[in-house]
Amino acid sequence: MQCGAAFNVQSFMALIVHKYGGTSMGSTERIRNVAKRVAKWVRAGHQLVVVPSAMSGETNRLLGLAKEVSPEKPGPDALRELDAIAATGEQVSVGLLALALQAEGMASVSYGGWQVPIKTDSAFTKARIVSIDDTRVRADLAEGKVVIITGFQGIDPDGNVTTLGRGGSDTSAVAVAAAMKADECLIYTDVDGVYTTDPRIVPEARRLSTISFEEMLEMASLGSKVLQIRSVEFAGKYRVPLRVLSSFTPWDIPLDEESRSGTLITFEEDEKMEQAVVSGIAFNRDEAKITVMGVPDKPGIAYQILGPVADANIDIDVIIQNISHDGKTDFSFTVHRNDYAKTLDLLTNTVAPATGAAQVMGDPKICKVSIVGIGMRSHVGVASTMFRTLSEEGINIQMISTSEIKTSVVIDEKYMELAVRALHKAFDLDAA
Ligand code: ADP
Ligand code: ASP
Ligand code: MG
């Protein structure tokens, strides 16, 4: 079990990928600090590839400018331009970091995703990485340089700049680590690891020294934005040793201490993890609920309702169908809040007339709260503890969805923080 350091920091010439998030790159002073930290690793004998994000707030600022110029929901041509605009944030970061390293006396070179190249598909604003050619990077490392590569961006088969979706620098870093078979990928951020829940919402949240890959995957997919879900998928697929840690420790803390800090994502279950029934609580306010009332309860109705939604490229999350009364039933599902208006429109104007539905209703002010833990596989009564806790707080559950290691509920958005705090306590996750 790789509970301590996943690799030996004493070993010479480990290949390490560092990723620094927006807050960690938030000012020129912080960038100089990042450079000092990176230089410490290089001076200890390691080869470093660094993947920074745009400076904090920069991606929002850039996308805000785009919205000022073109307020409508972007069409296919506009998405290409949005990526060209958003990718510039990371472009500035890599240049500044390379300069800061050079000022530290470190040879370093920066690359945009297209220069590496990091090849992606053409799904602008949510492109997927297809391949990474590490020839150039390896040559630089062999010459003793620190290589700085933009997070978040790549290039499609037609030579267009693409971006990987918000939070995508995590994925860039893990993908580079996977492609180069790095000894470890360290995700430096503004918290000192993965917590039982977002520490900004629950101050009593505890840092986990390890979390299993499967749990991390669920936490990320259910709304814990500490890692972008695709980065966790990459780590699992290529078994990338992955650690989340703070960039706000003094840059000169001893390397072995730094390399054991934070949270290690593990690929094997150990005894300690088996004991924790619920490891974490995730929440997501980005969803909206749609209900189709009074549809005929007959074979094919789910397809008649959800088929057109899928055809419109809208992702569907939680789904429930009520028991029927008088041959009619109600059907509810959730979509991303950005797709709410479009989905409501589609159902009201197309699906309802075609199915004979009595009414279409929507509620964008919902949220999804989930408990996650591999211990749920072997313990009964976990969901009922969740439901009891919510009922004691007077919180009405609108929808439920379960899988082997998670239970999610959809509730009124205004109760989100209350629900998360109550569940955190009920499952003994509060720090002692
Ligand atoms: P970065 O800019 O470094 O990529 P992010 O803002 O994307 O940082 O991710 C770090 C943030 O994730 C933290 O500041 C924290 O508020 C949030 N977060 C959400 N859930 C968790 C969790 N379970 N553990 C730690 N942080 C979490
Ligand atoms: N700068 C991008 C964003 O804000 C990517 C990232 O930070 O990971 O989403
Ligand atoms: Mg992030």
Side-chain angles (χ1 to χ4, degrees):
M1 177 66 217
Q2 36 179 315
C3 246
F7 71 101
N8 181 2
V9 277
Q10 311 300 345
S11 72
F12 191 63
M13 287 277 268
L15 174 59
I16 312 286
V17 176
H18 281 193
K19 180 258 169 177
Y20 291 90
T23 318
S24 314
M25 294 288 293
S27 65
T28 48
E29 195 194 334
R30 287 191 184 158
I31 292 174
R32 282 206 302 269
N33 254 301
V34 168
K36 288 192 166 78
R37 191 182 297 277
V38 170
K40 174 181 75 179
W41 282 77
V42 176
R43 290 192 178 113
H46 301 304
Q47 291 188 319
L48 264 281
V49 177
V50 186
V51 179
S53 293
M55 295 169 78
S56 58
E58 184 59 9
T59 311
N60 286 345
R61 189 186 73 84
L62 292 164
L63 293 172
L65 291 175
K67 203 161 184 124
E68 276 177 36
V69 175
S70 170
E72 291 306 309
K73 198 163 194 283
D77 290 346
L79 292 178
R80 177 190 182 278
E81 306 312 324
L82 285 184
D83 276 4
I85 296 162
T88 62
E90 272 68 13
Q91 188 66 60
V92 172
S93 284
V94 288
L96 289 174
L97 184 54
L99 278 184
L101 273 158
Q102 289 164 15
E104 280 296 310
M106 286 276 134
S108 70
V109 57
S110 74
Y111 292 122
W114 62 276
Q115 289 171 305
V116 175
I118 295 178
K119 293 189 179 160
T120 70
D121 62 19
S122 300
F124 295 114
T125 74
K126 48 178 180 208
R128 283 181 179 271
I129 295 176
V130 176
S131 68
I132 297 178
D133 181 351
D134 66 355
T135 316
R136 193 170 191 174
V137 180
R138 286 211 184 271
D140 290 322
L141 290 173
E143 284 176 23
K145 290 181 186 157
V146 178
V147 182
I148 326 266
I149 302 175
T150 47
F152 186 48
Q153 54 161 276
I155 184 167
D156 82 351
D158 301 317
N160 299 303
V161 170
T162 53
T163 70
L164 310 180
R166 299 307 303 269
S169 298
D170 297 329
T171 303
S172 308
V174 178
V176 166
M180 301 197 67
K181 300 194 171 46
D183 295 285
E184 189 157 30
C185 181
L186 300 173
I187 307 283
Y188 288 87
T189 183
D190 57 5
V191 280
D192 62 355
V194 179
Y195 277 66
T196 46
T197 193
D198 189 339
R200 291 184 208 287
I201 299 288
V202 181
E204 294 81 17
R206 258 187 306 116
R207 182 176 61 82
L208 300 162
S209 58
T210 62
I211 183 169
S212 75
F213 154 72
E214 284 171 287
E215 288 169 325
M216 193 64 241
L217 199 60
E218 287 284 6
M219 291 282 281
S221 84
L222 295 167
S224 298
K225 290 182 177 130
V226 61
L227 285 177
Q228 198 199 35
I229 179 149
R230 285 188 191 165
S231 71
V232 187
E233 287 168 357
F234 257 105
K237 189 163 172 194
Y238 298 100
R239 293 289 161 121
V240 179
L242 185 62
R243 185 180 288 276
V244 177
L245 69 170
S246 171
S247 70
F248 287 90
T249 53
W251 68 266
D252 55 354
I253 66 166
L255 201 91
D256 60 342
E257 188 183 322
E258 185 170 320
S259 65
R260 277 184 280 110
S261 67
T263 303
L264 182 71
I265 318 301
T266 61
F267 298 100
E268 295 149 42
E269 295 178 18
D270 70 3
E271 280 169 20
K272 188 185 116 282
M273 283 192 287
E274 270 173 17
Q275 279 163 20
V277 179
V278 170
S279 298
I281 298 174
F283 50 84
N284 182 359
R285 326 168 201 248
D286 295 340
E287 293 192 27
K289 185 175 84 164
I290 313 262
T291 302
V292 190
M293 315 251 311
V295 282
D297 190 12
K298 60 176 191 197
I301 196 69
Y303 177 64
Q304 273 187 317
I305 295 171
L306 298 180
V309 179
D311 291 344
N313 241 336
I314 297 166
D315 283 334
I316 297 153
D317 186 21
V318 184
I319 305 172
I320 55 166
Q321 183 178 342
N322 282 347
I323 51 162
S324 64
H325 42 89
D326 305 328
K328 305 250 181 194
T329 186
D330 302 336
F331 199 93
S332 297
F333 59 95
T334 64
V335 293
H336 195 283
R337 217 174 268 190
N338 292 345
D339 291 324
Y340 175 65
K342 189 175 166 192
T343 315
L344 203 57
D345 193 55
L346 180 75
L347 284 157
T348 310
N349 296 319
T350 313
V351 175
T355 55
Q359 203 186 351
V360 178
M361 294 187 333
D363 183 0
K365 292 211 160 87
I366 52 126
C367 70
K368 189 172 71 175
V369 176
S370 310
I371 54 173
V372 174
I374 47 179
M376 288 168 71
R377 275 193 191 126
S378 48
H379 288 76
V380 290
V382 182
S384 84
T385 303
M386 181 184 203
F387 305 151
R388 191 190 64 231
T389 306
L390 295 173
S391 88
E392 282 167 3
E393 297 294 340
I395 300 171
N396 184 41
I397 300 171
Q398 302 179 19
M399 302 168 101
I400 300 170
S401 132
T402 63
S403 75
E404 221 188 356
I405 66 163
K406 70 116 208 275
T407 301
S408 302
V409 293
V410 170
I411 60 172
D412 189 324
E413 184 188 44
K414 67 174 182 268
Y415 297 124
M416 193 193 82
E417 293 194 12
L418 175 63
V420 174
R421 283 172 211 270
L423 292 168
H424 199 267
K425 202 173 170 86
F427 286 104
D428 285 332
L429 296 173
D430 281 5

